[in-house]
Amino acid sequence: MDLTERGAGFAAFWRERHLATLSTARPGGPPHVVPVGVTLDLPTGTARVITSGTSYKARLVAATPGIPVALCQVDGRRWSTLEGHAVVRTAPGDVADAERRYTARYKPPRPNPARVVLEIQVTRVLGNV
């Protein structure tokens, strides 16, 4: 999904420094919602979250590749939710790329040899941006 069509305001909102929430479903249905830093590649519609491979969110996604997830960020009256399907990427090149993207939006992440990338292919966008 090419998200460049959503316009300059949308692109700026996803470049500005905001934390987001990642929502996944636990086994049995209850939501698991955690704060995350997220980067968004507009042309490919790919969102990336770096995390430890031992985190609960990473284990949930690894247990069910393609699991539906939602990422949401809010700033006053502006908000945006990205829905999609997540997979875990562990290849060193994928992790390094995600770390570079994270550094550009936030700051350099602390070293973590267990780091993985949750890669979300966006399928739906909601919001007021």
Side-chain angles (χ1 to χ4, degrees), residues 1-6 41-45 121-122:
M1 171 181 278
D2 183 352
L3 300 177
T4 58
E5 301 167 356
R6 304 225 31 119
D41 182 349
L42 293 166
T44 65
Q121 200 58 51
V122 177

Side-chain angles (χ1 to χ4, degrees), residues 30 47 62 80 89 91-92 94 103 113 117 121 124:
S80 180
R89 302 283 185 219
D94 292 337
T103 297
V117 181
Q121 200 58 51
R124 184 174 182 203

Side-chain angles (χ1 to χ4, degrees), residues 2 8 16 47 58 65-66 69 90 92 104 113 116 124:
D2 183 352
E16 296 166 4
V69 300
T90 59
V116 299
R124 184 174 182 203

Side-chain angles (χ1 to χ4, degrees), residues 38 42 50 55 63 68 75 83 94 120 129:
V38 60
L42 293 166
I50 59 174
S55 69
D75 180 41
E83 295 178 350
D94 292 337
I120 297 99
V129 179

